[in-house]
Amino acid sequence: MSADLTELYQQVILDHNKRPRNRGKLPTANRVAHGDNPTCGDQCSVYLRLETVLGQPDRIAEISFDGSGCAISQASASLMTTQVKGKTAPEVQALYKSFHEIVTTGNAPEEISDLAAFAGVHAFPARIKCATLGWHAAIEALKSDPLVTPTTTETHHD
Amino acid sequence: MSADLTELYQQVILDHNKRPRNRGKLPTANRVAHGDNPTCGDQCSVYLRLETVLGQPDRIAEISFDGSGCAISQASASLMTTQVKGKTAPEVQALYKSFHEIVTTGNAPEEISDLAAFAGVHAFPARIKCATLGWHAAIEALKSDPLVTPTTTETHHD
Amino acid sequence: MLDLTKIRADFPILHQQVHGKPLVYLDNAATTQKPRAVIDALVRYYERDNSNVHRGLHALSMRATDAYEGARARVAKFINAADPAEVIFTRGTTESINVVAHSYAARLKPGDVILTTEIEHHSNMVPWQQAAKASGATIRYVPFLGANVEDGLDLAQLDALLTPEVKVFAFTHISNTTGTINPATAFCAKARARGIVTVIDAAQSIGHETIDVQAIGCDFLAFSGHKMCAPTGIGALYGRRALLDTLAPDETGGGMVVTVDYTGARWKPAPERFEAGTPNIADAIGLGAACDYLDTIGRPAIAHHDAALAQLAREKLSVLPGIRILGPRNGEPRGGLVSFAFADIHAHDIVTFADEDGVALRGGHHCNQPLMRKLGLTSTTRASFYLYNTEQEVDALVASMRRTLKFFGVT
Amino acid sequence: MLDLTKIRADFPILHQQVHGKPLVYLDNAATTQKPRAVIDALVRYYERDNSNVHRGLHALSMRATDAYEGARARVAKFINAADPAEVIFTRGTTESINVVAHSYAARLKPGDVILTTEIEHHSNMVPWQQAAKASGATIRYVPFLGANVEDGLDLAQLDALLTPEVKVFAFTHISNTTGTINPATAFCAKARARGIVTVIDAAQSIGHETIDVQAIGCDFLAFSGHKMCAPTGIGALYGRRALLDTLAPDETGGGMVVTVDYTGARWKPAPERFEAGTPNIADAIGLGAACDYLDTIGRPAIAHHDAALAQLAREKLSVLPGIRILGPRNGEPRGGLVSFAFADIHAHDIVTFADEDGVALRGGHHCNQPLMRKLGLTSTTRASFYLYNTEQEVDALVASMRRTLKFFGVT
Ligand SMILES: Cc1ncc(COP(=O)(O)O)c(C=O)c1O
Ligand SMILES: Cc1ncc(COP(=O)(O)O)c(C=O)c1O
């Protein structure tokens, strides 16, 4: 197996793919968003319970994801849920920015070592959309009204 | 000038082009048809006075043509009028068949030497439509009702 | 029997390595590779004859026109159309179907029914959905039989669905997702007996088997050149002459009009009526060259070869743990492809691992999302074969699958 | 100054004889010839990278996708679009205009006005006539000034015609029949101030002068690759992003949908929304190569060269007996072409005689029948120039005209 491929399918990714964390519908969710990757049919729904402080959305109290897709997309969504829990929307945005940097350049800043497992994606540009599918859905969910609305994460420039 | 071109622009063609016979509207016409060559914008109207014998259409008593186009189309229409005058519709059809043979193969049967001037057209397949424009209009006119109807001679297989 | 050494030598692209492994190109249902003869036809046209067609009287223009119309006649002969004017050049299957669907959208009425099937490619489904929406007509689908489409379409249902309200029946000849072969001649006979217009999506059959539109008895047939050794950007719509001249053109502009004034225009007859603007001259000529190439090799031999490789692959793959194979069973007739899914490994991971072994496969929904959903799948992996593929390449495919299964711990 | 020896060496087709005379190709407004670099780009693609795009994860598919999307970015840069997604690949100008016209046909209403001009090519006239018919809108034409269109369009009339009912203003950048150059930037400013959508037919300008869609300020711009050194079968529609994503797609099918079920579909955003089916991958890459080629030579120099040859030809032809020349007067700005008629000799005879001298010209109505009729002509002869043409070729043109006049006894 080539170095690129070993780098892509790291142990942590395979582990999250096999035993996804926070998988399934969240009964207490007050936010949800759904992402499609039309190129491959991958789907990912993200459910959040967003805390409210003084009437304003605050931190993610609970999170889960559901859907189907390749090892990269499933592992990424799973790892994402573990990373964003307890964070505010701006914090999630900042983390996604670093994650996007990692999957497009392969360079991971030291402080976010957990997401560095996805550095191998950068050698497979066609898989970047897989790695970001869950993240897009989470960000959409954070932006969404408490009312449930379906959405798509298909964007054309990542 | 090449032999092909001299053969195409024979003296008789140049003559008919310069001094077209039977040109203009025919006031006594009881049949008319109009032909377009959409490839080049050439146009030709043919006016006939068709005699009636025992209530049936019989011979072309008078004929004229009008329109604009290249030397080949104008000379051909002019020569056509001189050849079909006095003929019945089946006779015109038969003559057109020979003419079509001449312009597509270059071989002219002896008995119709007048039309043989157009044998040179066969070396210029793109000009066959020019040479047959007036003929098509004449045949359409013969088929037309005594009522005037516009028509097109654009066909795709000559 | 095909002479594979000779055939493979005709295709320059095959002789390369991918990730240090010899390329095993098994993505032929997506697009096929091009033989030297087709590439040369393009180069020759651009180096010698390039000119605009139809409206020109100079030497290059006449040569280009002859070559372009010659290609039309060649394609007509390839599908045994009665008349070259029945061949309209398009960009490919999708555009061909849109041309027919747009025309029928303008003449269908509420109460009319468009019948299609549950196994269609999006390109033979969405245009009809749109035609139904635009006209107020209803769209219905012939369902399939068997959890994995093993038994093809439900023919009993088909008979029941061919009601007097049905005006158009559009169906695929061979499914790009399951390899199912529809009995096109029988379908057309049923439809014709009821006065229903038939539209065949021949994208997956045109490059493989002999297509005779008169024998099949269809009204329209759509296909893509790029799936039959021809360049990208060219394809055709066959239409019966009597129908074509009654259809409104989809696109309008230069070249398809008899006369134009500031208030309106009159259309030429087919094929010009449907070819507004400068056509794709070079690639049409390339399509003609592809017809020559395929007929020199012989389509019956090609069809046999491709189906045999697909059979072999189906057989060898079927023993892999957890595999689910779509379409006809082992040994039953199928098109030259096999599409499958593993319970625990996603098609994209399979395809990425196969690529490392030099094996080019397609993974996804194959533009057939509704079918996937009905099968409870989001995607499959598809291996599709063509005249230059070998039995060794089938082995390379199976070996690659085994390596991937092992990596993911499936045994 | 262009290095003509070097440039001519880039075009294999130019080095041939026609009827024993060196080819003098002056039919560039119909289609241009292709440099070696463009032909090579096609060959390279088919020999190395050919694969279907977008939906593939194997090496060839990724290479093909990168090359195809790279070509889109290259074309965007060529016209200075703000975003590659604003470039939709089409078959050419005619299809590009049809895409916009069909979309607006679906949203215009009775009372709305489509404004165009009397000097449009059929491809920028008939689709709007059809859009008017389909929607109940009215079509109006900006008239021209001067018996031979010497003074271009009537700008006073234009102001009066840009009423609040006008929703779309479609006009040609350079007329293919007269060489008239419309002040596109000024037209777009007037239209924008009134909230009118602008559609520019850039078929005759794209290959010659620098086009900057942001500086021009247009909403849509249509052009053909084959008129700018690129292969046949490819062209583009530029559309402002904000407008594109509001337009309904014309063709539907695979590749342009987000999700499909048996009842309907949702579209992707631009550009995919407008590119149903397998695109013309190779020729899009060829178009990218043509952009590279033209920018290496330099478009300002090309524009200057082509216009100078047309000026020279106009000047030298204007002394011939009985000639009537259309469009701008001697010395006034004009596109790289000159179109003329003789009182007693038809354009087809002229073109046939010129061909004997190796000179390739176009004769006819140039897809502009209404204009011809208004000018009292049925056809003209057109000589059109490009970067590989020389002053000697202008002389060959004039000499050929003299020989023909002599044969027909015009002195
Ligand atoms: C001004 C103008 N518009 C439109 C067209 C149509 O271009 P195409 O035939 O490439 O679609 C042409 C060329 O024929 C043209 O000159
Ligand atoms: C069955 C079927 N129909 C239609 C199409 C669409 O063909 P194209 O993309 O060449 O228009 C394809 C190929 O993708 C196909 O396999």
Side-chain angles (χ1 to χ4, degrees):
Chain A
M1 228 172 93
S2 79
D4 276 354
L5 206 56
T6 327
E7 178 75 10
L8 179 63
Y9 289 91
Q10 291 204 4
Q11 207 46 54
V12 44
I13 292 183
L14 293 173
D15 175 61
H16 271 273
N17 179 46
K18 255 221 157 112
R19 273 178 306 278
R21 323 294 195 264
N22 305 310
R23 182 166 193 141
K25 277 211 171 85
L26 186 70
T28 55
N30 55 15
R31 296 287 190 291
V32 65
H34 178 72
D36 288 307
N37 183 344
T39 0
C40 49
D42 283 2
Q43 303 179 323
C44 183
S45 298
V46 168
Y47 305 85
L48 310 175
R49 187 165 63 76
L50 202 55
E51 279 180 352
T52 317
V53 171
L54 299 175
Q56 292 298 311
D58 194 60
R59 294 181 183 279
I60 296 174
E62 285 180 284
I63 180 165
S64 77
F65 82 99
D66 208 356
S68 63
C70 63
I72 308 301
S73 80
Q74 296 303 294
S76 175
S78 167
L79 189 60
M80 179 274 296
T81 62
T82 67
Q83 297 294 305
V84 304
K85 192 166 165 181
K87 293 211 165 55
T88 63
E91 286 167 357
V92 172
Q93 280 284 8
L95 201 59
Y96 174 64
K97 212 170 151 243
S98 305
F99 180 71
H100 192 263
E101 179 85 8
I102 291 170
V103 294
T104 50
T105 67
N107 302 323
E110 251 176 65
E111 68 276 16
I112 47 163
S113 54
D114 285 324
L115 298 173
F118 286 88
V121 172
H122 91 278
F124 298 82
R127 304 303 290 277
I128 293 172
K129 280 190 186 174
C130 310
T132 55
L133 182 64
W135 286 89
H136 279 294
I139 288 167
E140 286 299 320
L142 282 167
K143 287 192 210 155
S144 71
D145 302 330
L147 272 163
V148 173
T149 51
T151 181
T152 168
T153 66
E154 167 74 351
T155 60
H156 292 260
H157 305 285
D158 63 4
Chain B
M1 230 173 89
S2 80
D4 276 353
L5 205 57
T6 328
E7 178 76 9
L8 180 61
Y9 290 91
Q10 292 204 5
Q11 207 46 52
V12 44
I13 293 183
L14 293 173
D15 176 60
H16 271 273
N17 179 44
K18 254 216 160 114
R19 273 178 306 279
R21 323 296 194 264
N22 306 310
R23 181 168 193 138
K25 279 211 168 84
L26 186 70
T28 53
N30 56 14
R31 296 286 190 293
V32 63
H34 178 72
D36 289 304
N37 182 345
T39 0
C40 49
D42 284 1
Q43 302 178 324
C44 184
S45 298
V46 168
Y47 305 85
L48 310 175
R49 187 164 64 76
L50 203 56
E51 281 180 350
T52 318
V53 171
L54 300 176
Q56 290 300 310
D58 194 59
R59 295 181 183 280
I60 297 175
E62 285 180 282
I63 180 165
S64 76
F65 83 101
D66 208 355
S68 63
C70 63
I72 308 302
S73 79
Q74 296 302 294
S76 175
S78 167
L79 189 61
M80 179 274 294
T81 61
T82 68
Q83 298 292 306
V84 305
K85 195 168 161 179
K87 294 210 163 58
T88 63
E91 287 167 358
V92 173
Q93 280 284 7
L95 201 59
Y96 174 63
K97 211 171 152 243
S98 304
F99 181 72
H100 192 262
E101 180 84 8
I102 291 171
V103 296
T104 51
T105 67
N107 302 324
E110 252 175 63
E111 69 276 17
I112 48 163
S113 55
D114 285 324
L115 298 173
F118 286 88
V121 171
H122 91 279
F124 296 82
R127 304 302 291 276
I128 293 172
K129 279 189 189 177
C130 309
T132 54
L133 181 63
W135 285 89
H136 278 294
I139 288 166
E140 285 299 320
L142 281 167
K143 285 193 212 155
S144 71
D145 303 329
L147 273 163
V148 173
T149 51
T151 180
T152 169
T153 65
E154 167 75 350
T155 60
H156 293 261
H157 305 285
D158 64 4
Chain C
M1 280 289 291
L2 301 181
D3 178 346
L4 285 171
T5 314
K6 194 158 161 297
I7 289 173
R8 291 182 66 83
D10 291 337
F11 290 81
I13 201 169
L14 298 179
H15 311 283
Q16 68 176 293
Q17 301 220 322
V18 164
H19 303 301
K21 311 277 167 48
L23 170 65
V24 175
Y25 184 79
L26 301 181
D27 193 17
N28 294 290
T31 202
T32 63
Q33 299 304 340
K34 321 305 172 199
R36 169 71 60 208
V38 168
I39 301 172
D40 285 351
L42 297 179
V43 172
R44 203 161 46 232
Y45 171 75
Y46 287 125
E47 290 190 355
R48 286 198 334 205
D49 306 328
N50 176 61
S51 178
N52 215 320
V53 291
H54 293 318
R55 292 174 292 269
L57 291 173
H58 58 78
L60 262 54
S61 177
M62 288 187 277
R63 273 191 249 149
T65 303
D66 286 351
Y68 180 68
E69 294 303 330
R72 191 191 306 283
R74 182 64 188 87
V75 172
K77 192 174 149 225
F78 193 74
I79 59 172
N80 195 32
D83 182 345
E86 297 183 320
V87 171
I88 294 156
F89 285 121
T90 65
R91 184 169 27 250
T93 310
T94 303
E95 184 173 44
S96 295
I97 293 168
N98 273 273
V99 168
V100 191
H102 287 187
S103 286
Y104 279 93
R107 44 169 68 196
L108 293 175
K109 298 175 310 296
D112 289 343
V113 170
I114 300 166
L115 186 63
T116 181
T117 89
E118 283 185 350
I119 65 170
E120 299 306 313
H121 189 280
H122 291 164
S123 288
N124 199 29
M125 183 181 292
V126 186
W128 296 113
Q129 293 177 342
Q130 293 294 103
K133 256 175 220 162
S135 63
T138 306
I139 187 160
R140 293 210 185 115
Y141 299 89
V142 184
F144 62 84
L145 277 169
N148 293 331
V149 208
E150 296 94 332
D151 299 306
L153 295 177
D154 185 339
L155 296 188
Q157 286 267 0
L158 172 60
D159 281 323
L161 281 164
L162 285 171
T163 59
E165 294 76 37
V166 176
K167 296 292 177 283
V168 177
F169 179 27
F171 62 91
T172 191
H173 195 182
I174 300 183
S175 161
N176 66 307
T177 308
T178 63
T180 304
I181 304 172
N182 279 324
T185 309
F187 282 13
C188 289
K190 280 181 199 289
R192 203 167 49 248
R194 292 161 172 89
I196 298 168
V197 168
T198 46
V199 182
I200 301 185
D201 173 351
Q204 290 300 334
S205 53
I206 190 72
H208 301 269
E209 50 182 80
T210 310
I211 300 281
D212 178 333
V213 289
Q214 298 190 68
I216 293 173
C218 55
D219 294 307
F220 296 95
L221 183 116
F223 59 90
S224 305
H226 71 92
K227 294 188 200 275
M228 54 171 281
C229 290
T232 58
I234 194 78
L237 172 65
Y238 158 81
R240 269 206 305 121
R241 186 79 201 246
L243 286 175
L244 276 186
D245 285 342
T246 68
L247 290 188
D250 184 19
E251 296 188 354
T252 57
M256 50 75 73
V257 288
V258 179
T259 54
V260 180
D261 62 29
Y262 289 126
T263 61
R266 283 191 305 134
W267 320 133
K268 287 186 191 170
E272 282 85 354
R273 173 191 298 237
F274 300 98
E275 294 184 1
T278 303
N280 188 350
I281 306 165
D283 293 328
I285 293 167
L287 177 55
C291 293
D292 285 340
Y293 182 79
L294 291 174
D295 277 344
T296 304
I297 308 284
R299 277 182 282 168
I302 296 171
H304 180 266
H305 174 83
D306 303 342
L309 288 184
Q311 294 283 2
L312 184 67
R314 199 212 181 287
E315 208 176 296
K316 294 200 171 185
L317 288 167
S318 62
V319 301
L320 296 182
I323 199 167
R324 176 176 170 191
I325 301 184
L326 303 188
R329 296 181 185 81
N330 266 340
E332 288 177 1
R334 61 160 56 239
L337 61 89
V338 56
S339 184
F340 51 93
F342 292 100
D344 292 321
I345 315 176
H346 190 274
H348 280 190
D349 299 312
I350 301 275
V351 172
T352 298
F353 275 78
D355 185 53
E356 282 283 318
D357 293 332
V359 181
L361 301 173
R362 187 113 328 208
H365 54 60
H366 312 294
C367 289
N368 209 324
Q369 289 178 10
L371 175 63
M372 285 289 139
R373 228 169 275 130
K374 231 192 135 176
L375 294 171
L377 293 166
T378 55
S379 60
T380 73
T381 302
R382 181 182 70 192
S384 51
F385 303 91
Y386 208 25
L387 74 166
Y388 36 68
N389 290 123
T390 65
E391 294 194 3
Q392 290 82 334
E393 291 182 320
V394 173
D395 291 336
L397 162 70
V398 178
S400 177
M401 293 305 103
R402 286 196 190 280
R403 269 193 294 278
T404 308
L405 289 174
K406 197 166 152 220
F407 178 85
F408 282 98
V410 179
T411 42
Chain D
M1 284 288 294
L2 300 181
D3 180 346
L4 285 172
T5 314
K6 196 159 161 294
I7 289 173
R8 290 182 66 84
D10 292 337
F11 290 82
I13 202 170
L14 298 179
H15 311 284
Q16 67 175 294
Q17 301 219 322
V18 164
H19 303 300
K21 311 276 165 48
L23 169 66
V24 176
Y25 184 78
L26 301 182
D27 193 18
N28 294 290
T31 201
T32 64
Q33 299 304 340
K34 320 305 173 198
R36 170 71 60 207
V38 168
I39 302 172
D40 284 352
L42 297 179
V43 172
R44 203 161 46 233
Y45 171 75
Y46 286 126
E47 289 190 356
R48 286 195 336 204
D49 305 329
N50 175 61
S51 179
N52 214 322
V53 291
H54 293 319
R55 293 175 289 269
L57 290 172
H58 58 78
L60 263 53
S61 177
M62 288 188 274
R63 273 191 248 150
T65 303
D66 286 351
Y68 180 68
E69 293 303 330
R72 192 192 305 283
R74 183 65 188 87
V75 172
K77 193 175 148 224
F78 192 75
I79 58 171
N80 196 32
D83 181 346
E86 298 183 322
V87 172
I88 293 155
F89 285 121
T90 66
R91 184 169 28 246
T93 310
T94 303
E95 184 173 44
S96 296
I97 294 169
N98 273 274
V99 168
V100 191
H102 286 188
S103 285
Y104 278 93
R107 43 168 70 197
L108 292 175
K109 299 176 308 297
D112 289 344
V113 170
I114 299 166
L115 186 64
T116 181
T117 89
E118 284 186 350
I119 65 170
E120 299 307 313
H121 188 281
H122 291 164
S123 288
N124 199 29
M125 184 181 291
V126 186
W128 296 113
Q129 292 177 344
Q130 293 295 103
K133 255 174 220 159
S135 63
T138 307
I139 187 160
R140 293 212 184 114
Y141 298 89
V142 184
F144 61 84
L145 277 170
N148 292 332
V149 208
E150 296 94 333
D151 299 307
L153 295 177
D154 186 340
L155 296 188
Q157 285 267 3
L158 172 60
D159 281 322
L161 281 164
L162 285 169
T163 59
E165 294 75 38
V166 177
K167 295 292 176 285
V168 178
F169 179 26
F171 62 91
T172 191
H173 195 183
I174 299 183
S175 162
N176 66 306
T177 308
T178 63
T180 304
I181 305 172
N182 279 323
T185 309
F187 281 13
C188 289
K190 280 180 200 287
R192 203 169 48 248
R194 293 161 172 89
I196 297 167
V197 168
T198 47
V199 182
I200 301 185
D201 173 353
Q204 291 299 336
S205 53
I206 191 73
H208 301 270
E209 48 182 80
T210 310
I211 300 280
D212 178 334
V213 289
Q214 298 189 69
I216 293 174
C218 56
D219 293 310
F220 296 96
L221 183 117
F223 60 89
S224 305
H226 71 93
K227 296 190 200 270
M228 54 171 281
C229 290
T232 58
I234 193 78
L237 172 65
Y238 158 82
R240 271 206 303 120
R241 186 78 201 246
L243 286 175
L244 277 186
D245 284 343
T246 69
L247 290 188
D250 185 18
E251 296 187 353
T252 57
M256 50 76 72
V257 288
V258 179
T259 54
V260 180
D261 62 30
Y262 289 126
T263 62
R266 283 191 307 134
W267 319 135
K268 287 186 189 172
E272 282 85 354
R273 174 192 295 238
F274 300 98
E275 295 184 359
T278 303
N280 188 348
I281 307 165
D283 292 329
I285 293 167
L287 178 55
C291 293
D292 284 341
Y293 181 78
L294 291 174
D295 277 344
T296 303
I297 308 284
R299 277 183 282 168
I302 295 171
H304 180 267
H305 174 82
D306 303 342
L309 288 183
Q311 294 283 1
L312 184 67
R314 199 211 180 288
E315 209 176 296
K316 295 199 170 186
L317 288 168
S318 61
V319 302
L320 296 182
I323 199 167
R324 177 177 170 191
I325 302 185
L326 303 188
R329 297 182 184 80
N330 266 341
E332 289 177 359
R334 62 159 55 240
L337 62 89
V338 57
S339 183
F340 51 93
F342 292 100
D344 292 320
I345 315 175
H346 190 273
H348 280 191
D349 300 313
I350 302 275
V351 171
T352 298
F353 275 78
D355 185 52
E356 282 283 318
D357 294 331
V359 181
L361 300 174
R362 186 114 325 209
H365 53 60
H366 312 294
C367 288
N368 209 325
Q369 290 178 9
L371 174 64
M372 286 288 138
R373 227 169 275 130
K374 232 192 135 177
L375 294 170
L377 293 166
T378 55
S379 60
T380 72
T381 302
R382 182 183 69 192
S384 52
F385 303 92
Y386 208 26
L387 74 166
Y388 35 67
N389 291 123
T390 66
E391 295 193 3
Q392 290 82 333
E393 291 182 320
V394 172
D395 292 336
L397 162 69
V398 178
S400 176
M401 292 304 102
R402 286 195 191 280
R403 269 193 294 277
T404 308
L405 289 174
K406 198 166 150 218
F407 178 84
F408 282 97
V410 180
T411 44

